[in-house]
Amino acid sequence: MHTNLRPLMSVRIWSLTLSLPLLSPFPPPEKPVTVELSCGAGPVLVVLEPGQPLLLDCHLGATPLATPLNVTWLQDGLPVLEGEGNSLRTLANGSLLVLPTSVDGRTPQGVEGGYSCVSAGPFGALTSRTIAVHLATLSRFHQDPEAQVVPLGGASRFECQIDGVPTPRITWERDQEPIPSQPRFISLPNGVLQILGAVKEDGGAYRCVASNFARKRFSQDAILTVTTGMQENGRGQVVIVAPPQNATVVQGRPAVMECMAQGGQPKPLVSWSRQDGKPIATDVVVLETNLVIPNTRRYHAGVYVCRANKPKTREFVIAAAELHVPAPPVILQPPETVSLSRGNTARFVCNSSGEPPPALHWLKNGKPVKSNGRVKTQSPGVLLINQLGLDDAGYYQCIADNALGTACATAKLSVIVREGLPSPPHQLSATPQSSTTALLTWERPEHNSDQIIGFSVHYQPTSGSDHMEYQFAVNNDTTEYHVKELLPHTAYTFYVVAYSPMGASPPSPPVTVEMLEDVPSAPPQLSLLSTSPTDIRVMWLPLSSQHSRGAVTRYRIDYSTLEQVDNVFSVEVGGNETQLTLRELQPNQAYRLRMAAGTGAGFGVPSEWAQHHTPAHFNHSMVIFAPTELKVRAKMNSLHVTWQPPPNHTQISGYKLFCREVVGEDLTNGEAHPERERVRRMEAHTIKLRKRVKHHEVSSLVPDRLYEVKVWAFNKQTDGYAAGWKGRTEKAHGKGVSIHRCGNPPPLPPSSIKATANSSTSIWLRWEKPRFSNVRIINYTVRCSPAGIRNASLVSYYTSSAQEILLGALKPYTRYELAVQSNGGDVVGPFSGTVEESTLTDIPSTPPAELQLSALDSSSVLVNWRPPVEPNGIVISYRILYTINLSQPEHLWNNLSQDGTIMSAEVTGLSSGTHYFFKMRASTEVGVGPYSPVKDVRTPPRKYGEWLDIHAVTGIIVGVCLGLLSILLCMCVSFRNGKAR
């Protein structure tokens, strides 16, 4: 039996394998292999051999006893069904026995799937990670090797592809015998066989052999013919005949980057590099011209570039491929077990990693945690539980899952009830005072009320998507509170908690009350069209609950002609109507119209006046009426316009639509000037649409602006009458502006501010909200700036509704000053004291600056440079590379290392009269940065004097001087002797 990370994959996609003992399939062994399911690390896929039974043991530790009190098994999320061919059996100790072979020897249905268990104890329930069970399989070959003809000394390549669970082992045979164990024969894990330097004896029939626990398969034979003609040499063009392929390799399995090049004799030189400039990891094995990674890790992922260079030339070709390394989830920071007093806040943090990034969710006693006003899930991996009660106690599990499996971690929450705490407040009542204000009253607790130091009022909308719970601190000397800034016609649930120095009381029994209605906050948005010269059809959409602020019971339409604006007519219709036709109007007349919606509290503000011109034609065969059922759905940045064809739609060729913003003088009641109207149409967003089109989206608009839309049909002879609409786009999303209550102090700044470096470009900032505040805190503002800098342009501000934020896009190895302030509606508090934290070191972003080369003499060069502009840490060393052949692979360049504090180096031992190329890069403790641009320098040829050593030259001069002195003495002696004679 083997355990993998994926149920099915070809030889190009690998999975991590954990070997278990091999057992003969017939007869089945009496003692099956056991796999423990827990909430910890372990296999996520089990592959069963034929006839191999599997025992799944639920080991969650929900109770201190060795045997859990109650174990439930799930298959693909549903309870396990027993009795189907006796393939699944639950044992008395809670384990599950999986029998992949039934009594008649056939494989039963329903064995494969995802298994998990839930173990319940007296304190709560726990669920295990999910393990997938699959039966061993081996498919037929998707690709068989193909016949090859190569010249003597050439290279050949065979390839086969097959799928299997577990991943099959691939070997090669020649003439049904294993291939020789020679370096010329390279068998790669991806099903490729390369034969280098072919000789006559290599000819024969080659086949691929794939085997796993399911079976063994042989591919078709492929004949290799080695011809006597020698391989071409000289000027053949360099070609990569087997380039690297994009590959997905699960972490822990081997990966292959193949690169096979041809180009005559001598053979091309093949080198490898990473596209991101990072060095290739030291655990990567080079097999001739191929890269093999025996144990793939996340840091191996990236784009690898193969470069084939023809020796002694600058001719080269490249090929690149990306290696993707998915990995199963791993819990990096598990939640911690805590014991807290009732009324406190529990905070569980769970951080995970994996590729693709895993999704996180929370379980309580084996069931998903549902967010509400008290219980909130925040990203990434934070669970908050406010106002703890006894019902909150239990086991909480963080589950991380992606396509490769799951990981989980468990924490236990104990809620402590201290002696002497107040009993809950009682007789709580809530009375609406207006559409936005409610009066809350309650009685003091019956027990230990003399120890109360204050109360907290909690409330949240009873229904809807807003699960935010709001709370206010109330002094001890009162038992009532006016809750303001509520939403009209909305139900709220309230409860009160009493506090003593020892802790919080249980919450009072909740009460629910619905706020009073108010007049609508916005008018309906209306559309206008005429189906005859004497009528105008007015259409509108119902108001949303946010704008209606109550049950709409009626609509009022006001209209008049532009010639008699003081003579206004009004018509009212019921609240369930969405259109009205005004009849017996004057043909060829300009009208203005508006409407308002009303609730039990009265009518809201009316819409802007909209203008409409009734048709002048009575001959229906010539006139094109306006499109019907014009409806516009206003969004924040767009308008979705829909309509239906006019009554005489057979006469039309298409539609025209224009949209414009209504500004300035457009809002006046007077009739628009004809020339001004023509210019507006030219400036408007006007388009032509086909006849069959019945909708259009007008985008790139501004929130909360008044727009006018018109749609009309046209044909080759004329344009028809327009259907019009006028209304506003939605406001930008937000809770709305809170009304500042006079006399209320601003909220206190947050406390316990902690900053922790998360990476070289990010810092986690966490804080706690003020203990007591008379202002409801809406969100927090975070100020971030480099330490010691007072330039306002470098100060950044962030907003967070949670009590933490991950500040990103920061500079590596930089110290930052951080502060937080509390925001309560339209009143904001002061910033807290600053905390400082530095981002982590990273590799240099830039190469060493101002690289300069100077030839000192014919055999040495002086290299000068300056530190990188963005070192991202302390530079610990510099590496200088130089060569005379720019096309050489990087590992063949000469290199010289210098300490990070030195900014120059003398490179000696060079050849005279030679062109050298230099580049360099800097290193921090994290790694190496990019190379500088290549610069070149030529060493001068040696001068005559440079062939002599300085000591030799000195010796020659001294010798000559001594010789001349000796001759002079001899001449003086001879002259003196001659004079004596």
Side-chain angles (χ1 to χ4, degrees), residues 734-787:
K735 296 290 294 181
V737 179
S738 301
I739 301 175
H740 175 57
R741 296 183 292 272
C742 296
N744 281 348
L748 297 175
S751 60
S752 302
I753 301 174
K754 296 180 180 179
T756 306
N758 183 65
S759 69
S760 61
T761 59
S762 61
I763 293 176
W764 269 113
L765 188 65
R766 296 181 172 93
W767 60 88
E768 295 180 3
K769 63 182 179 182
R771 266 211 71 88
F772 293 99
S773 176
N774 286 332
V775 178
R776 174 160 55 99
I777 296 177
I778 304 299
N779 53 33
Y780 301 90
T781 299
V782 175
R783 184 181 67 202
C784 174
S785 64

Side-chain angles (χ1 to χ4, degrees), residues 271-340:
S271 62
W272 286 90
S273 63
R274 287 178 58 108
Q275 192 178 63
D276 56 11
K278 297 179 180 178
I280 294 178
T282 56
D283 56 354
V284 177
V285 179
V286 180
L287 288 181
E288 285 296 328
T289 59
N290 311 290
L291 294 185
V292 177
I293 307 174
N295 187 10
T296 307
R297 296 297 173 194
R298 292 283 303 278
Y299 59 80
H300 290 124
V303 177
Y304 290 80
V305 180
C306 166
R307 172 173 170 148
N309 188 84
K310 191 168 186 178
K312 300 181 180 179
T313 70
R314 295 193 176 185
E315 179 184 345
F316 68 90
V317 292
I318 62 173
E322 183 175 7
L323 175 61
H324 178 58
V325 184
V330 176
I331 301 295
L332 301 178
Q333 181 183 2
E336 298 180 356
T337 295
V338 292
S339 296
L340 297 171

Side-chain angles (χ1 to χ4, degrees), residues 118 125-127 362-370 395-397:
V118 178
L126 287 170
T127 185
W362 292 88
L363 302 178
K364 178 196 174 186
N365 292 335
K367 297 182 179 180
V369 172
K370 296 182 178 180
Y395 287 104
Y396 289 83
Q397 291 179 283

Side-chain angles (χ1 to χ4, degrees), residues 2-8 43-47 130-134 165:
H2 273 229
T3 58
N4 292 17
L5 288 174
R6 301 190 71 164
L8 184 63
V44 295
L45 178 89
V46 174
V47 179
T130 299
I131 186 169
V133 175
H134 287 270
V165 179

Side-chain angles (χ1 to χ4, degrees), residues 858 912-914 939-943 946:
S858 60
S912 61
T914 305
T939 55
R942 287 189 175 181
K943 300 178 182 178
E946 294 182 7

